[in-house]
Amino acid sequence: GDSVTQMEGPVTLSEEAFLTINCTYTATGYPSLFWYVQYPGEGLQLLLKATKADDKGSNKGFEATYRKETTSFHLEKGSVQVSDSAVYFCALMDTGRRALTFGSGTRLQVQP
Amino acid sequence: NAGVMQNPRHLVRRRGQEARLRCSPMKGHSHVYWYRQLPEEGLKFMVYLQKENIIDESGMPKERFSAEFPKEGPSILRIQQVVRGDSAAYFCASSPPNSVSGGSGRGINEQFFGPGTRLTVL
C-alpha cells in the first residue's frame, strides 16, 4: 500500500538557517505530492504541491521538487523565521483516489 | 468565505458513551473527508463522502464508527460505545465538486482542513 516516511523531529534551528525536511514515499500509481503545515491549535494548511515528476512546488519561500527516481519530495527553505515554527506533514494522493496518505509529521522549532 | 467548521473543538466522553462530531464544509464544497490523528502520529484517512453518499470508507473501523453527510446540514462522524483507544484528534476536510477549479487555481485535489475535534475518552 501507499506510505510516506519523513524525518523525525523536532528540528531546532536558529533564525535565518537553512531548512531541509526529508520525505520519501511509496505508491502504486502516479501520485500527487503535498506538504501541509499545522500551527498550534489549528487545522492543516496546504503549503505546496506537485502533481508530476520534476515539478517544483513553491510557496512562502518553501520549495519541494518531485523526484520520481528517488521517490522523494524534500521540503527546503533558505532562511527560516520564528513564525515558521509548526508541524510539517508530507502527504500523497495516489492515482484515482481522493484520500491523502500522510507522514508522521516533523516539528520545526525556530529560535530567535 | 468561512473555512471548514468543526464542533465541538473538545469533547470528553466516558467509556461506553457515544461521541458525535460535526463538520460543516466550506461554502460550495460538496466533498467531505474525515481523518484521525492519534498522539504523535500522522493523520490517517477514515472516510470520504459526497452529499448522501459514502464514496470511500476503506479507513473506517468495521465496528462502532459511522459517518453521514445528509442533503441538508453538516457531516457527522459517530462513534458508539467509545473506548480509550478512540482518544485522538479528528479532522474534517472539504473540497469543491469536480467541475470547479477551487478558485485558487490549485485544482480539484486540494482539501481544506478544519481545526479538528479533540476527543478524550476517560
Side-chain angles (χ1 to χ4, degrees):
Chain A
D2 297 343
S3 68
V4 175
T5 302
Q6 58 182 109
M7 60 190 291
E8 292 189 15
V11 173
T12 303
L13 296 173
S14 298
E15 207 165 19
E16 299 184 2
F18 184 86
L19 168 71
T20 299
I21 300 178
N22 291 338
C23 171
T24 57
Y25 67 90
T26 301
T28 54
Y30 300 93
S32 296
L33 302 175
F34 306 82
W35 276 101
Y36 281 84
V37 58
Q38 184 180 30
Y39 297 102
E42 298 184 12
L44 278 70
Q45 300 174 25
L46 179 65
L47 182 58
L48 53 85
K49 75 171 187 178
T51 58
K52 61 183 187 298
D54 299 325
D55 268 3
K56 177 185 283 188
S58 61
N59 186 27
K60 299 181 182 179
F62 291 89
E63 293 183 340
T65 301
Y66 190 142
R67 301 286 187 199
K68 187 178 178 183
E69 63 275 14
T70 55
T71 61
S72 65
F73 193 55
H74 304 321
L75 182 68
E76 296 181 336
K77 186 175 185 182
S79 176
V80 293
Q81 306 300 314
V82 173
S83 57
D84 294 327
S85 298
V87 181
Y88 292 80
F89 292 93
C90 185
L92 70 82
M93 185 183 294
D94 210 345
T95 312
R97 294 203 71 203
R98 298 295 289 265
L100 286 162
T101 299
F102 285 90
S104 57
T106 302
R107 183 176 301 277
L108 170 65
Q109 298 173 334
V110 181
Q111 298 175 336
Chain B
N1 186 10
V4 177
M5 310 283 284
Q6 290 188 250
N7 65 82
R9 294 291 305 274
H10 301 274
L11 182 61
V12 179
R13 286 288 178 266
R14 297 190 181 279
R15 282 178 295 172
Q17 292 184 319
E18 178 180 286
R20 281 182 177 245
L21 288 63
R22 287 177 290 278
C23 169
S24 296
M26 288 180 68
K27 186 177 181 180
H29 287 193
S30 58
H31 299 195
V32 166
Y33 314 80
W34 286 94
Y35 294 83
R36 176 166 64 175
Q37 183 179 30
L38 295 171
E40 304 304 319
E41 294 187 14
L43 281 73
K44 297 287 194 291
F45 168 76
M46 300 180 75
V47 62
Y48 161 39
L49 311 102
Q50 296 178 18
K51 286 282 187 180
E52 300 182 283
N53 284 303
I54 297 175
I55 307 302
D56 181 353
E57 57 181 346
S58 59
M60 285 281 270
K62 299 300 181 198
E63 298 178 348
R64 301 187 298 108
F65 285 72
S66 62
E68 63 177 12
F69 188 17
K71 186 176 180 180
E72 301 291 338
S75 175
I76 305 288
L77 179 68
R78 182 183 179 201
I79 311 172
Q80 296 178 290
Q81 299 176 314
V82 295
V83 301
R84 290 217 173 109
D86 297 332
S87 295
Y90 292 83
F91 290 93
C92 168
S94 71
S95 67
N98 290 344
S99 60
V100 176
S101 69
S104 65
R106 291 175 176 165
I108 64 170
N109 287 343
E110 182 175 359
Q111 296 179 16
F112 295 81
F113 282 79
T117 294
R118 279 150 183 83
L119 172 65
T120 301
V121 179
L122 302 178

